[in-house]
Amino acid sequence: MKRIFTLTLAMLLAGCSQNPVEGDPANTAEGDAATTSLPVNGVTDDEVLIGGMLDLSGPFAAFSVPAVAAANQYFETVNAAGGVHGRKIRYIVEDHAYQVPKAVQAANKLVTRDKVFAMLLNVGTAHNMAAFPVLDNNNVPNVIPLSLAMPMQTEGDFSRRFTIGSTYYQTMKAGMKYIIEKENVTKLCTMYFPSDFGEETHQAAKELAAEINTLELVEVSTHRPDETDMSGTLAKMREADCGLVAVALTVRPSIGVVATAKSMGWDEAKFIVPISSFHSAVSGAPGGITEGLYAVSLWEDLDILKANPKTAEWIANYKKANGEEPNTGAAIGYLGAKILVEGLEAAGPTLNADSLAKGIETVNIDDDVINAHIGMSADNHAAVTQAYLSQVVDSQWQTVAKIIE
């Protein structure tokens, strides 16, 4: 799996355009004129068509499905008030089940057949990168993908990329460092699925071991996304006396790792997961089996934020519309929809890829629902730079510290 991912990544990088540079015709007024002269798809006097390719039936459906529901709920409110500059927003979504070939098919359908104006909440790093060529060739902005991987902010046409916030690498490095210093950890281990969040978690662990004289990376293991038996790996890590284990797997295996460690009676080690497992299904796992688990995130858990009246109102509205409590995926869907709408508003009535990009770059607001500052600029296309470390206490995520300001 790792070799296939690496090969695919290398092939995609070779085919993706580079960030605009000073002096490049594509980055001049002449280049802008040429860009805006391309046909503007998905925009009429009364509608703007937005597409999304998400995992609605695979390992990250627990994030994707609520994200789509929250985004549509936000758009419904905007549309009921008349839309944006008289245009109502229509969001159409394709399921790729977390499979890259299906993601390519979905991107091609949405861009070339449905002719969407922009993409919103696309799930998966390899999946987004596989779609970059068709998006770039058709001048389609990629807004708030459900990926915090570094390539989302560095590969391809920067002017058309707008991400959620701080990367997996940045947040996991900050979270691990906090625990290492607080708990005097001297031996670090990683268990990861060799994809975006897994590779960046492992990279952060290696760098911490190189930077901290008293820290050693003693055990490393990679796993398949469908792997369930982690007992052998955990036995080796216990024998190596790991003080902190970074677990970058999908939601269900992450729960299984912590549950297996507890069943083994291995209580000495701490476990930390990336934002991809900062989910109520993890904190609320039956029998309290994830008690004590750490996770990083870009904002605090909704159970904490609901003390805020605006958050409580949003939670109640989401629950009424969808019959269940919102989770981190829903919060990301809300955030993505809000940023898109703010960008459309700022773009003005004359809408094209350039005016949307310039509009999103003006977004600078304090959001009351997720209690985060959303700030974009011409040089910064990451919406939220803050990050938190949380821990499962009594089956809920409780804030430990703010690890990135």
Side-chain angles (χ1 to χ4, degrees):
M1 174 67 74
K2 182 174 182 180
R3 193 178 78 179
I4 294 171
F5 175 81
T6 304
L7 180 59
T8 303
L9 189 60
M11 292 168 64
L12 292 170
L13 288 177
C16 286
S17 60
Q18 299 301 306
N19 292 349
V21 294
E22 190 173 348
D24 188 329
N27 198 34
T28 63
E30 231 176 85
D32 287 343
T35 298
T36 53
S37 68
L38 290 172
V40 180
N41 292 325
V43 178
T44 65
D45 289 342
D46 54 14
E47 182 182 75
V48 55
L49 184 61
I50 307 298
M53 51 173 201
L54 296 95
D55 175 13
L56 304 179
S57 59
F60 285 103
F63 282 89
S64 296
V65 173
V68 172
N72 275 323
Q73 189 170 348
Y74 195 92
F75 294 147
E76 286 168 8
T77 301
V78 171
N79 290 343
V84 182
H85 299 298
R87 298 184 181 100
K88 294 190 177 181
I89 301 168
R90 182 157 62 96
Y91 185 37
I92 56 176
V93 174
E94 293 290 327
D95 177 22
H96 62 50
Y98 209 65
Q99 297 176 29
V100 174
K102 288 187 176 181
V104 175
Q105 292 173 1
N108 274 297
K109 175 187 177 295
L110 290 165
V111 172
T112 63
R113 189 191 308 174
D114 298 317
K115 297 191 180 301
V116 298
F117 169 64
M119 297 285 261
L120 176 70
L121 302 173
N122 288 344
V123 169
T125 302
H127 314 71
N128 272 277
M129 292 183 69
F132 281 175
V134 68
L135 268 61
D136 291 345
N137 290 339
N138 290 275
N139 204 28
V140 176
N142 193 28
V143 183
I144 313 299
L146 268 74
S147 168
L148 290 168
M150 291 187 284
M152 294 298 95
Q153 299 183 17
T154 59
E155 300 301 336
D157 184 356
F158 173 81
S159 70
R160 299 292 184 262
R161 312 269 189 263
F162 298 92
T163 66
I164 307 170
S166 296
T167 64
Y168 298 121
Y169 165 79
Q170 291 168 322
T171 54
M172 282 298 281
K173 188 172 183 180
M176 287 189 285
K177 185 177 181 181
Y178 181 93
I179 297 170
I180 288 163
E181 292 177 348
K182 183 181 178 183
E183 301 292 338
N184 297 315
V185 173
T186 60
K187 294 183 178 181
L188 177 63
C189 294
T190 60
M191 301 175 65
Y192 67 99
F193 168 42
S195 67
D196 46 4
F197 59 91
E199 295 285 2
E200 290 187 29
T201 293
H202 183 54
Q203 179 183 346
K206 288 193 297 183
E207 291 189 10
L208 283 170
E211 293 167 7
I212 301 174
N213 293 334
T214 56
L215 182 67
E216 183 183 3
L217 183 61
V218 293
E219 284 288 340
V220 174
S221 65
T222 59
H223 302 271
R224 303 185 311 274
D226 60 347
E227 194 170 340
T228 56
D229 184 5
M230 309 290 185
S231 55
T233 297
L234 288 169
K236 289 175 63 177
M237 291 185 172
R238 185 181 190 181
E239 186 177 349
D241 197 25
C242 295
L244 175 63
V245 182
V247 182
L249 305 171
T250 54
V251 171
R252 186 173 295 179
S254 296
I255 296 172
V257 165
V258 182
T260 301
K262 287 187 184 300
S263 69
M264 294 166 54
W266 188 23
D267 301 320
E268 298 83 8
K270 309 295 181 185
F271 291 81
I272 183 172
V273 293
I275 192 173
S276 53
S277 290
F278 182 69
H279 194 283
S280 55
V282 176
S283 60
I289 56 176
T290 56
E291 195 75 5
L293 175 65
Y294 289 95
V296 294
S297 64
L298 299 183
W299 46 80
E300 296 179 278
D301 187 65
L302 292 173
D303 278 329
I304 295 172
L305 295 177
K306 68 183 179 184
N308 181 327
K310 291 289 186 181
T311 310
E313 180 184 6
W314 176 74
I315 290 173
N317 289 338
Y318 180 93
K319 187 174 181 180
K320 181 179 179 181
N322 300 286
E324 61 182 11
E325 295 278 345
N327 57 30
T328 302
I332 295 173
Y334 157 83
L335 174 67
K338 181 167 188 172
I339 289 171
L340 178 64
V341 169
E342 293 282 337
L344 290 170
E345 290 277 8
T350 303
L351 185 59
N352 55 49
D354 289 330
S355 64
L356 176 64
K358 291 173 182 175
I360 294 178
E361 288 172 351
T362 69
V363 175
N364 188 16
I365 55 177
D366 291 312
D367 184 74
D368 291 332
V369 171
I370 61 172
N371 190 30
H373 178 73
I374 303 169
M376 298 280 203
S377 71
D379 299 320
N380 173 43
H381 285 189
V384 179
T385 56
Q386 68 181 24
Y388 290 87
L389 179 67
S390 298
Q391 187 177 29
V392 179
V393 178
D394 295 330
S395 297
Q396 290 186 337
W397 292 113
Q398 298 294 329
T399 304
V400 174
K402 192 174 187 180
I403 52 177
I404 301 177
E405 294 293 337

